[in-house]
Amino acid sequence: MELIHQRSKGPIARLQNAYRRQMAAVAVLMSTVMVIHAKNVESVSSHLLFWTYVGFCLLMIAALFRNYRLTRKMERMDETVKNTLEQHVTMLEQRMKWQSIVARVVIIFFILLLEVIPLYQHVRMLATWHSLPPVVRFSSYAAYLVFQYYLSRAITQKKFGKHLDHLKNLLNEMK
């Protein structure tokens, strides 16, 4: 239990730091995009893609905060609640799987927005993109989905998965 609950370099502390860093990174990215587009308040107020991106970022921060809060609960547990700790580790693993699925759905949703928005709203950047042949656009979307699949798996394993695996190994040693 001491290994699990180390406040500076234990697996729970590392998970907390990873969630906290990712929340900060998403917040900074979202704020940067908002500041950049603050000049064009008139166009931003009617730009569906911009507000969808902001909503996605807020939902992502909320999901990360939920996981962060769960790791805080795990940190405060003592020896008598080993089963609860195992349940929390399992819950974090399930959330990671769901978050990867939701990320892919969101990417497909943004791809659909990129294809549908020019039908209703003129955006110069999208007009340039839509001047490309459909084969190029759709093959780019497919390549991006494949790239995102492998890259997100690698990043998730590096940032969160290895710490969860370490926690599971420690819990198995306790048996």
Side-chain angles (χ1 to χ4, degrees):
M1 288 306 278
E2 283 182 31
L3 286 172
I4 291 174
H5 293 300
Q6 285 180 344
R7 291 202 179 264
S8 60
K9 57 185 176 178
I12 293 175
R14 289 182 183 189
L15 273 172
Q16 283 180 344
N17 287 336
Y19 287 126
R20 192 174 25 237
R21 276 191 222 118
Q22 195 153 9
M23 279 189 295
V26 171
V28 166
L29 185 63
M30 181 182 69
S31 300
T32 303
V33 169
M34 290 181 85
V35 166
I36 289 171
H37 290 290
K39 297 179 256 183
N40 306 329
V41 176
E42 311 84 44
S43 65
V44 168
S45 64
S46 64
H47 200 337
L48 179 65
L49 192 60
F50 174 78
W51 290 110
T52 305
Y53 171 75
V54 170
F56 167 72
C57 287
L58 291 173
L59 288 175
M60 190 170 169
I61 290 171
L64 290 167
F65 181 73
R66 224 175 122 202
N67 290 342
Y68 174 76
R69 227 177 38 189
L70 185 62
T71 57
R72 297 276 301 201
K73 286 180 187 176
M74 291 167 62
E75 187 178 51
R76 294 186 196 122
M77 290 184 188
D78 58 6
E79 296 172 14
T80 60
V81 288
K82 181 179 155 271
N83 292 333
T84 307
L85 190 60
E86 288 175 335
Q87 290 173 352
H88 287 323
V89 169
T90 304
M91 190 182 307
L92 281 173
E93 286 180 325
Q94 289 174 343
R95 286 181 184 177
M96 281 177 41
K97 287 177 187 174
W98 276 106
Q99 286 171 351
S100 68
I101 291 169
V102 168
R104 289 181 195 104
V105 169
V106 166
I107 289 172
I108 291 171
F109 178 72
F110 274 106
I111 289 171
L112 289 173
L113 277 178
L114 286 175
E115 289 299 314
V116 172
I117 284 178
L119 300 174
Y120 301 102
Q121 195 176 18
H122 178 70
V123 180
R124 192 175 74 210
M125 176 191 73
L126 293 180
T128 305
W129 176 246
H130 279 271
S131 66
L132 296 173
V135 173
V136 172
R137 287 195 326 256
F138 290 110
S139 61
S140 298
Y141 294 145
Y144 179 72
L145 283 170
V146 169
F147 176 73
Q148 185 275 340
Y149 174 78
Y150 288 109
L151 184 67
S152 70
R153 284 184 63 176
I155 289 173
T156 300
Q157 180 60 29
K158 182 180 179 192
K159 285 187 176 184
F160 307 109
K162 68 179 181 181
H163 303 303
L164 284 174
D165 292 341
H166 185 67
L167 264 174
K168 284 181 4 185
N169 289 337
L170 290 173
L171 287 169
N172 286 335
E173 288 176 12
M174 290 170 52
K175 289 183 178 179

